[in-house]
Amino acid sequence: MNDADVGLLADACRNVRDLPAGHHLIMEGDNPDPVFVMLDGWACGYKMLPDGGRQILAFMLPGDFCDIHIAVLRAIDHSFVTITPARVALLPRAQMEALVEIGPTITRAFWWSQLVDQSVLRAWIVSMGRRTARERIAHLMCELYIRMRNIGLANDANCNMPLTQLVIADAVGLTPVHVNRVLKSLRVEKVMELSAGSLTILDPVQLAEIAGFDGNYLHRRLRKAD
Amino acid sequence: MNDADVGLLADACRNVRDLPAGHHLIMEGDNPDPVFVMLDGWACGYKMLPDGGRQILAFMLPGDFCDIHIAVLRAIDHSFVTITPARVALLPRAQMEALVEIGPTITRAFWWSQLVDQSVLRAWIVSMGRRTARERIAHLMCELYIRMRNIGLANDANCNMPLTQLVIADAVGLTPVHVNRVLKSLRVEKVMELSAGSLTILDPVQLAEIAGFDGNYLHRRLRKAD
DNA sequence: CGCACGGTTGAAGCGGCTCAATCTGGGTGG
DNA sequence: CCACCCAGATTGAGCCGCTTCAACCGTGCG
């Protein structure tokens, strides 16, 4: 993208709003209007099940789009909530369409962003299908740490991680109770520590090994940063 | 899309090839060149794990794209194999790029196709994370049956389903042994029957109920058909 | 004929779940 | 400043779904 395109995008993000934690950006079934860009804070997308269970599908960190598809398809199939107090930029649907009309560069950027998201979704499926609780949680922590690092919000072995054990459980498909036990075991084994909304990686090598963290996948995440 | 666009796409699909079952379309780590369109037969995308396990990420039926991103990102993060003998159309990368240059309509069509794929991936995550073996298998069968019906390859209660129990296990994240037991229980309860490469739905209502099959998700799948 | 692959079945073990109680720290009202 | 409350973290005990291991069957095919 050239400067002009960047300028257009930045310009589009001027409609900013501050939201408290636990605020719903979109509910499943809503008529999709605006697109969101996270400027500050955390949010997540999730789906509810008939039995009241919840499955978190993605975490949104500062700089992330709220899945663009929401403005394209007529119906939404999942919801978004803020996890922390957050600042988001709103892009009305019309403006979104206008951006796409301008030229292929921006459209392609959106498209490309989709591909990265898909890659994350695929990794998520692998975690759910083939990894143990321990591996899943380690993998999630790796992913989130790397993403935080890519946007300059992590230092060497530590970063902010405002996730409740219940939220983690909903993300990795486990019980909060069991998440707790796994976190404890990782703590006593001096692999990583998660407390007070902050993640500390004590043994990066071992953590990556437990997680089976894919360098290829990681690479792509890193490229997203530039 | 107008007729001209459709013509361009159809024209792009002239490079056709017949492949045997078990043929790898792409291997993880390959340098991505062509894009594939399934014309006939089944294929699937999957990822291998260090321990030798396999997780299937998507099934490709006639009419499906082989994930477009493969031609966009430089590295591939998963592989594709044919499940049955198959006929595929090859789109060289350059031709793909050319199609995108032509105009926003086709680009947007690709983009939109991505969104549908993402929706399926999300549903898959929900299955893995929050559903029992029985529910997962029922859901997979619902999805595949609907997709077959959308492309005119299913009749009222029956369709082709050339999946081995091992393949199903790799898709839903279970053991082949357990898949077998679940299939048996669904059979004796007269819900559905899967044998000899063919699926028969005996009690559609009960099957959908077990699967927790989402009408919204279904709706979008149906729209893909037009 | 025999081999190989996919389906079928049984027995035993374990990872993660359920239920339930206790603990902790931060916030709130008095 | 204290009593209280509440959400989240922690821990224990028992159970169940799914896995593991292992054997056996059926069938298509070289």
Side-chain angles (χ1 to χ4, degrees):
Chain A
M1 292 201 296
N2 57 34
D3 286 349
D5 289 331
V6 172
L8 282 171
L9 278 178
D11 196 53
C13 292
R14 279 185 314 178
N15 183 9
V16 172
R17 196 180 298 182
D18 280 297
L19 300 171
H23 184 266
H24 271 84
L25 295 168
I26 306 160
M27 287 289 282
E28 184 167 351
D30 275 6
N31 196 20
D33 187 24
V35 168
F36 299 92
V37 181
M38 296 298 294
L39 298 180
D40 194 29
W42 289 48
C44 70
Y46 68 90
K47 259 181 127 135
M48 294 302 295
L49 283 97
D51 66 5
R54 181 172 79 148
Q55 177 64 49
I56 291 179
L57 299 161
F59 287 106
M60 292 174 60
L61 274 46
D64 288 340
F65 274 102
C66 170
D67 261 338
I68 308 163
H69 86 288
I70 275 170
V72 178
L73 297 175
R74 303 296 163 189
I76 304 182
D77 66 344
H78 61 300
S79 315
F80 277 89
V81 232
T82 55
I83 292 177
T84 67
R87 166 173 302 216
V88 302
L90 303 181
L91 269 168
R93 180 192 247 272
Q95 194 169 5
M96 183 74 186
E97 301 273 343
L99 278 174
V100 171
E101 292 303 331
I102 288 172
T105 318
I106 289 184
T107 307
R108 203 184 296 204
F110 286 148
W111 180 14
W112 193 75
S113 159
Q114 294 283 327
L115 302 178
V116 175
D117 288 347
Q118 269 197 31
S119 180
V120 175
L121 286 179
R122 272 193 292 270
W124 214 299
I125 290 179
V126 172
S127 271
M128 312 259 72
R130 290 291 160 201
R131 288 202 250 258
T132 66
R134 189 182 168 78
E135 293 163 349
R136 271 184 247 180
I137 290 175
H139 194 273
L140 179 63
M141 292 303 132
C142 283
E143 183 199 322
L144 292 176
Y145 171 77
I146 293 291
R147 285 172 64 182
M148 286 297 271
R149 193 151 65 83
N150 288 350
I151 55 179
L153 293 182
N155 43 41
D156 242 21
N158 187 281
C159 78
N160 204 31
M161 185 77 57
L163 302 182
T164 243
Q165 292 182 356
L166 201 232
V167 171
I168 297 176
D170 284 344
V172 294
L174 294 168
T175 304
V177 176
H178 200 244
V179 168
N180 180 292
R181 288 194 236 268
V182 170
L183 287 177
K184 179 182 177 183
S185 89
L186 290 171
R187 192 190 319 135
V188 302
E189 293 169 26
K190 305 221 180 301
V191 177
M192 49 157 274
E193 221 171 302
L194 182 62
S195 64
S198 165
L199 170 72
T200 307
I201 298 178
L202 304 172
D203 188 339
V205 176
Q206 209 185 335
L207 182 62
E209 175 144 355
I210 292 171
F213 202 68
D214 179 359
N216 196 15
Y217 168 71
L218 165 63
H219 175 61
R220 196 153 40 259
R221 294 304 310 181
L222 283 170
R223 279 180 53 202
K224 188 181 186 181
D226 58 26
Chain B
M1 291 201 297
N2 58 34
D3 287 349
D5 290 330
V6 172
L8 283 170
L9 278 178
D11 195 54
C13 292
R14 279 186 315 178
N15 184 9
V16 173
R17 197 180 296 184
D18 279 296
L19 300 171
H23 184 265
H24 271 83
L25 295 168
I26 307 160
M27 287 289 283
E28 183 167 353
D30 275 6
N31 195 20
D33 188 22
V35 167
F36 300 92
V37 181
M38 294 298 293
L39 298 180
D40 194 28
W42 289 48
C44 70
Y46 67 91
K47 260 181 125 134
M48 295 300 297
L49 282 96
D51 67 3
R54 182 172 76 148
Q55 177 64 49
I56 291 179
L57 300 162
F59 288 105
M60 293 175 60
L61 274 45
D64 288 340
F65 273 102
C66 171
D67 262 335
I68 307 163
H69 86 287
I70 275 171
V72 178
L73 297 174
R74 303 294 163 191
I76 305 184
D77 66 343
H78 61 299
S79 315
F80 277 88
V81 232
T82 55
I83 292 176
T84 67
R87 165 171 302 214
V88 303
L90 303 181
L91 268 168
R93 178 192 247 274
Q95 195 168 4
M96 184 74 185
E97 301 273 345
L99 277 175
V100 171
E101 293 303 331
I102 288 173
T105 319
I106 288 183
T107 307
R108 202 184 297 203
F110 286 148
W111 181 14
W112 193 74
S113 158
Q114 293 282 328
L115 301 179
V116 175
D117 288 348
Q118 270 198 30
S119 180
V120 174
L121 286 180
R122 273 193 291 269
W124 214 298
I125 290 179
V126 172
S127 270
M128 312 260 70
R130 291 291 161 200
R131 288 202 250 257
T132 66
R134 189 181 168 78
E135 293 163 349
R136 271 185 246 179
I137 291 176
H139 194 273
L140 178 63
M141 291 303 133
C142 283
E143 182 198 324
L144 292 176
Y145 171 76
I146 292 292
R147 286 173 62 182
M148 286 296 271
R149 194 151 64 84
N150 289 349
I151 55 178
L153 294 181
N155 41 44
D156 242 21
N158 188 279
C159 78
N160 204 32
M161 185 77 57
L163 302 180
T164 244
Q165 292 181 356
L166 203 230
V167 171
I168 297 176
D170 284 344
V172 294
L174 294 167
T175 305
V177 177
H178 198 60
V179 168
N180 180 292
R181 289 194 236 269
V182 170
L183 287 178
K184 179 181 177 184
S185 89
L186 290 172
R187 193 190 318 134
V188 302
E189 293 169 27
K190 304 222 181 301
V191 176
M192 50 158 273
E193 221 170 300
L194 182 63
S195 65
S198 165
L199 169 71
T200 307
I201 297 178
L202 305 171
D203 188 338
V205 176
Q206 209 186 335
L207 182 62
E209 174 144 356
I210 292 171
F213 203 68
D214 180 358
N216 195 15
Y217 168 71
L218 166 62
H219 174 62
R220 197 155 37 260
R221 295 303 310 181
L222 282 170
R223 279 180 53 202
K224 188 182 185 180
D226 56 28

